Amino acid sequence: MTATRVLLVTGGSRGIGAACCRQAATAGWDLAINYLRDATAAEQVAADVRRTGRRAITVQADVADEAQVLAMFARVDAELGPLAGLVNNAGIVDQPQRVDTMSLARLRRMFDTNILGSIVCAREALRRMSRRHGGPGGAIVNLSSAAARLGSPGQYVDYAASKGAIDTFTLGLAREVAAEGVRVNAVRPGIIDTDIHASGGLPDRVQQLAPQVPMQRAGSADEVAAAVLWLLSDAASYVTGTVIDVTGGR
Ligand code: NAP
């Protein structure tokens, strides 16, 4: 791809989101790198993007907070210009718990971040990209999880359910806007070696589960990002409403 296009990656400061930002820069995208807490990490990703010759801004915003999401999109409009792509990557897990011990506060935080955050970001992207709103078209990629198929019993059924919602949202939205120049797809990673497992109190989760993966190993953030970048690219111009498993066969 040679023409410059603007891509917003939520949760772009580390893990899969950071890998998406770096690969997208190489593919010719200018980047808006969203993060929640770690400004230094986001700035490091931005520096890597700029080294490729592409533009990059970092934008602090909690995707679970609508006002912060609106402010984030306004900054992207003002500082980078028309949006052409969104990667709904920001997502959280929580400490392992059975459903019969989960608090409503935990469920709200999980669903506000993983479901409502993705839907509100998609809404704002559509208002800019859809031909129905005078936009030029674009692409949205949502980060689901193999948990949507597996259910994550005993660990985080709430997380798995939030990703099941992402799969259904992807299918419905893709069909709703297919005639408006916007493609909507999802990637379902399996066990990927990032910090998300430690953030859920399971720092050894990757090592413990890797032997259960048919390929006998965890995946890397770059292996997930490669699928995301393909879905964003013109090579996937006839692909919408689909979910790609990047799971080593799990
Ligand atoms: P990660 O390493 O924990 O990184 C999460 C990123 O999201 C960070 O950049 C974090 O920013 C940001 N973030 C967290 N909460 C946010 C919020 N409320 N608003 C804005 N940004 C927020 O995660 P990951 O492993 O790369 O996972 C990325 C996506 O892939 C998630 O949706 C996850 O559910 C999905 N996934 C991951 C795996 C896996 O095995 N790793 C498997 C299946 C699906 P700060 O660092 O600034 O807090």
Side-chain angles (χ1 to χ4, degrees):
M1 192 178 70
T2 48
T4 298
R5 293 192 287 181
V6 175
L7 176 68
L8 168 62
V9 179
T10 65
S13 56
R14 60 186 161 94
I16 293 166
C20 289
C21 291
R22 293 188 174 105
Q23 289 189 25
T26 303
W29 293 88
D30 287 344
L31 265 302
I33 303 160
N34 160 252
Y35 67 98
L36 181 60
R37 297 182 193 87
D38 194 345
T40 305
E43 277 306 326
Q44 281 167 2
V45 177
D48 289 344
V49 169
R50 292 183 193 117
R51 266 192 285 279
T52 71
R54 305 263 62 103
R55 297 181 298 158
I57 62 170
T58 60
V59 192
Q60 195 278 332
D62 181 348
V63 296
D65 183 317
E66 185 185 25
Q68 293 184 37
V69 169
L70 295 180
M72 171 171 73
F73 276 84
R75 265 199 66 196
V76 176
D77 293 342
E79 296 180 33
L80 289 179
L83 193 72
L86 167 68
V87 180
N88 260 326
N89 167 79
I92 56 168
V93 294
D94 209 323
Q95 306 295 310
Q97 273 184 15
R98 287 171 47 98
V99 171
D100 50 18
T101 67
M102 285 178 188
S103 69
L104 187 63
R106 169 189 168 122
L107 296 174
R108 284 203 204 285
R109 177 173 165 269
M110 184 75 72
F111 296 157
D112 280 353
T113 304
N114 293 1
I115 305 176
L116 298 187
S118 294
I119 294 177
V120 171
C121 286
R123 182 193 73 194
E124 292 308 307
L126 283 171
R127 287 175 175 175
R128 288 156 173 83
M129 301 189 313
S130 166
R131 289 203 286 258
R132 183 187 179 94
H133 295 282
I140 297 173
V141 179
N142 299 317
L143 267 294
S144 175
S145 169
R149 288 190 280 100
L150 301 170
S152 304
Q155 288 202 333
Y156 20 68
V157 170
D158 52 347
Y159 170 79
S162 77
K163 295 301 187 177
I166 290 299
D167 284 1
T168 306
F169 174 61
T170 300
L171 178 67
L173 182 64
R175 292 176 176 177
E176 189 164 287
V177 301
E180 300 168 21
V182 180
R183 295 183 300 103
V184 186
N185 293 288
V187 172
R188 255 191 317 233
I191 303 295
I192 310 300
D193 194 1
T194 73
D195 294 338
I196 199 170
H197 312 287
S199 76
L202 298 171
D204 300 328
R205 187 164 183 264
V206 167
Q207 290 71 26
Q208 283 169 357
L209 291 180
Q212 297 175 23
V213 176
M215 281 190 183
Q216 300 279 293
R217 66 171 178 87
S220 70
D222 269 325
E223 289 175 308
V224 179
V228 172
L229 264 292
W230 181 75
L231 287 169
L232 287 173
S233 77
D234 292 341
S237 56
Y238 199 52
V239 179
T240 198
T242 203
V243 183
I244 296 181
D245 284 305
V246 183
T247 60
R250 188 162 178 255

